[in-house]
Amino acid sequence: MKIGIIGTGNMGQALGLGWARTGHEVLFGSRDAKKAKAIAANSSASTQAGDFDAAAAFGEVVLYTVRDYFPSRLLKEPQTLSGKIVIDCNNSAILGLDIPDPENRPGIHFTAPVPSHAERLAADIPGARVVKAFNTMASQVIQLDRDELARKPVSVYLCSDDEQAKSVVKGLAEELGFVGIDCGALERAQLVEAVGDFIRFQIIGMDLGPFATISLDVASAR
């Protein structure tokens, strides 16, 4: 399968390289051509590099990792995504440190976004088949060996209005060693994104270390 990666941050790298290892053709799209080429060079001959529009055009499935900056603004030809499976792995930027406690330590405030980031993405590209997935884990978890992940197991929560698209993404998650959990229609992304925010709440509120997401992701396993 051809997979386009829009964005070469931690999630884009981890998922793209993981899918390349399982035999898929992957094109990393970035604003920085040198960065995209360097990432592609770290994998097999099945990986390529280009810009955002190249990734959108290349993929049968497209991973969208750019938060709160939607295709109509990011891509020169956003209609390229029409008819394609688009995976939204983002959480919205809703955490704030604005509620002090009696001991004058910073508190944490968050509210579930309505509509969700995934719903906003789908509204921006109405012809695309948007699937919410991979937002509740850190890139370090995705980088774990497939056999190690399979022993946990770690859940990937999936939401979409397109059952066939959701099934494809479930398969892609399970190829990496995860357990795909069908959470229903895309409107359920409001709940799934809240799970991701709760994990971040735990990390910040408990003052956990930078790799705490790994243990929290394992704790969320089925």
Side-chain angles (χ1 to χ4, degrees):
M1 181 179 294
K2 291 184 176 181
I3 302 176
I5 309 293
I6 294 181
T8 49
N10 292 338
M11 291 296 286
Q13 290 186 49
L15 286 166
L17 292 173
W19 285 323
R21 286 194 298 271
T22 64
H24 296 288
E25 296 180 60
V26 176
L27 191 151
F28 292 95
S30 176
R31 292 187 183 92
D32 185 338
K34 290 183 179 179
K35 182 178 181 180
K37 289 178 180 178
I39 295 168
N42 284 332
S43 189
S44 65
S46 64
T47 55
Q48 303 177 46
D51 60 14
F52 292 142
D53 280 272
F58 177 83
E60 302 165 74
V61 173
V62 176
L63 175 70
Y64 197 86
T65 74
V66 184
R67 184 177 68 188
D68 293 328
Y69 201 84
F70 295 101
S72 61
R73 297 176 61 199
L74 187 75
L75 301 178
K76 296 175 183 176
E77 298 184 7
Q79 67 275 12
T80 302
L81 294 174
S82 182
K84 297 190 176 189
I85 298 172
V86 178
I87 305 171
D88 177 30
C89 67
N90 296 287
N91 284 304
S92 55
I94 60 172
L95 282 178
L97 302 178
D98 56 4
I99 305 178
D101 69 7
E103 298 180 19
N104 294 318
R105 296 173 302 184
I108 298 171
H109 171 72
F110 69 94
T111 56
V114 179
S116 65
H117 189 281
E119 290 172 298
R120 291 162 62 202
L121 178 62
D124 191 74
I125 42 171
R129 305 159 68 192
V130 174
V131 180
K132 188 75 192 183
F134 299 107
N135 70 297
T136 59
M137 62 189 61
S139 59
Q140 294 97 328
V141 178
I142 298 167
Q143 292 167 350
L144 293 175
D145 180 80
R146 186 186 189 285
D147 292 338
E148 184 176 358
L149 282 172
R151 288 195 299 270
K152 302 298 184 197
V154 180
S155 301
V156 169
Y157 305 108
L158 304 153
C159 305
S160 181
D161 294 333
D162 188 309
E163 293 298 323
Q164 196 271 337
K166 186 163 49 178
S167 177
V168 169
V169 179
K170 182 175 185 290
L172 289 172
E174 292 178 347
E175 286 181 20
L176 297 176
F178 295 105
V179 178
I181 304 296
D182 188 338
C183 295
L186 194 64
E187 66 179 0
R188 297 288 183 87
Q190 295 171 21
L191 298 175
V192 171
E193 289 181 14
V195 171
D197 289 322
F198 179 73
I199 291 172
R200 290 190 287 166
F201 171 90
Q202 291 286 76
I203 293 167
I204 298 172
M206 295 171 66
D207 194 25
L208 300 176
F211 295 102
T213 43
I214 294 178
S215 60
L216 285 169
D217 287 325
V218 172
S220 74
R222 186 182 63 178

